[in-house]
Amino acid sequence: MILEQFRIVEGVEQINKNMPRQSFVYACVSYLFVFPIFRFLFRGQTKGISNLPNTGGVVIVSNHGSHLDPPILGHALGRPVAFMAKSELINVPILSFIISACGAYPVKRGAGDREALRNASNRLVEGWATGVFLDGTRQENGRVNDPKAGAALLAGRTGCPILPVAIVNSHRAFPKGSILPRFVSIHLRVGELIQPPKTRKREDLTSKTKEIQISINSMLDQGLIKNLSLIHI
């Protein structure tokens, strides 16, 4: 079983409490490209951003409704968020530079979950906020339907807290099978921090994963942000 394989991976260095410095490329991508698109074309708003720690490793966990999610989650929270990227992309000269500067970590096709876990753990140890989609793949209804234990396992292995984030409406903005996006509102609801599981036993990971699922789906149930006085950009 995957969880049993994960338990073989031993040892994690002490977590870096600092936040990796934003690279120039990351800042350009964020402020000149992603953020304007999120804020103006998709009328993006964010609520609860104060729940995000300013420094140190944190596992940012969200639902996954479209291809828009990684750039939005990676650039709209105010600090860099590292995501997994296919190793083939790292070999493309210009794209490699941009991906690396934005904190992505490479995983070889077919290498399995152990390498992904190791690379994600290393990012957390370095003090990165590291993004995980709880279902692993896009969901047509935009909700968390079939959560995987990877996020809880990452938190349990590194001792980093979990930050649940609900991406509201991205599945409507860019549905599966669509070629072009629809410019409907996309909002982010950021929940309160969830502490890592006490152990890496299956029952603790399952319980923590369920807690994360409930948190994200509860925020999705609240829908788009209506009270503008509560918005934190």
Side-chain angles (χ1 to χ4, degrees), residues 29-206:
V29 172
S30 287
Y31 299 114
L32 299 180
F33 183 64
V34 177
F35 191 76
I37 289 175
F38 169 64
R39 183 66 181 86
F40 298 110
L41 293 184
F42 292 106
R43 300 181 292 282
Q45 304 288 358
T46 304
K47 178 182 176 182
I49 195 65
S50 59
N51 291 327
L52 173 64
N54 292 324
T55 60
V58 56
V59 185
I60 296 183
V61 188
S62 80
N63 55 308
H64 191 15
S66 81
H67 289 310
L68 297 171
D69 299 335
I72 288 176
L73 200 61
H75 294 268
L77 293 179
R79 61 174 287 191
V81 180
F83 280 96
M84 177 178 64
K86 296 177 182 177
S87 60
E88 302 94 283
L89 299 179
I90 302 296
N91 296 325
V92 180
I94 297 177
L95 189 58
S96 169
F97 177 71
I98 295 174
I99 289 174
S100 298
C102 291
Y105 51 93
V107 174
K108 295 178 182 178
R109 184 186 298 272
D113 294 313
R114 289 182 64 188
E115 180 175 340
L117 174 71
R118 182 169 59 252
N119 289 330
S121 297
N122 288 340
R123 281 290 186 267
L124 289 166
V125 169
E126 293 166 3
W128 282 88
T130 300
V132 177
F133 295 118
L134 201 56
D135 287 289
T137 59
R138 288 173 295 154
Q139 304 294 302
E140 290 188 9
N141 64 0
R143 297 180 65 80
V144 177
N145 300 305
D146 184 24
K148 307 299 187 294
L153 183 58
L154 263 180
R157 185 171 186 262
T158 61
C160 291
I162 298 160
L163 186 73
V165 177
I167 306 176
V168 184
N169 243 18
S170 75
H171 68 293
R172 294 190 178 95
F174 202 178
K176 267 188 172 184
S178 296
I179 298 176
L180 296 174
R182 307 168 185 166
F183 295 120
V184 301
S185 296
I186 298 177
H187 291 175
L188 299 184
R189 290 183 177 272
V190 183
E192 296 183 359
L193 283 175
I194 296 174
Q195 293 306 306
K198 295 179 180 179
T199 73
R200 282 182 274 170
K201 293 181 179 178
R202 184 183 301 276
E203 55 268 25
D204 286 337
L205 295 178
T206 300

